[in-house]
Amino acid sequence: MSSNVIRSVIVILLVVFCPKGQAERSDGGRLQVPMSAPTKQGPKMQALMAKAYEGNASAQFQLAQIYDKGNQWVRRDPAAAIAWYEEAAGNGHTAASRMLKTR
């Protein structure tokens, strides 16, 4: 198994088994994202969360938007939205930076 596959499996397991939104970051710190648990996590949502926890700014921004607006599977959670916008902005996502300035 390649190291990328192993890393992906670990990230998915962290996403699935960390209901409070806590997972290890690659820099050794803890990513503290308060979030409401989705009532139904399909494979697309799990993949998006895995990418976000890996540090993908685009995925973090997409999660922020989901939590900002809410939908039929995810309750609106402004605190989680802000946390994900901050993560995305910290990783260089300009739209996330703009969203934080409007709050």
Side-chain angles (χ1 to χ4, degrees):
M1 240 186 239
S2 74
S3 61
N4 286 339
V5 172
I6 293 171
R7 179 179 172 161
S8 295
V9 169
I10 290 170
V11 169
I12 290 170
L13 290 173
L14 288 171
V15 168
V16 171
F17 293 106
C18 292
K20 293 183 181 176
Q22 297 180 5
E24 292 290 335
R25 287 180 16 172
S26 60
D27 63 3
R30 299 282 294 175
L31 175 61
Q32 300 284 334
V33 180
M35 69 175 122
S36 54
T39 56
K40 180 180 180 182
Q41 277 192 13
K44 289 182 181 179
M45 184 68 169
Q46 288 178 351
L48 182 64
M49 291 180 84
K51 287 180 183 178
Y53 281 112
E54 287 177 343
N56 181 302
S58 180
Q60 291 167 341
F61 180 73
Q62 288 175 14
L63 272 181
Q65 290 184 311
I66 290 169
Y67 283 109
D68 203 11
K69 296 174 180 138
N71 62 29
Q72 63 193 24
W73 296 287
V74 179
R75 278 191 314 251
R76 184 173 183 275
D77 188 341
I82 290 171
W84 281 116
Y85 282 132
E86 288 173 347
E87 286 290 322
N91 286 321
H93 199 283
T94 55
S97 297
R98 284 194 300 268
M99 289 298 291
L100 288 170
K101 289 178 184 175
T102 63
R103 294 188 172 263

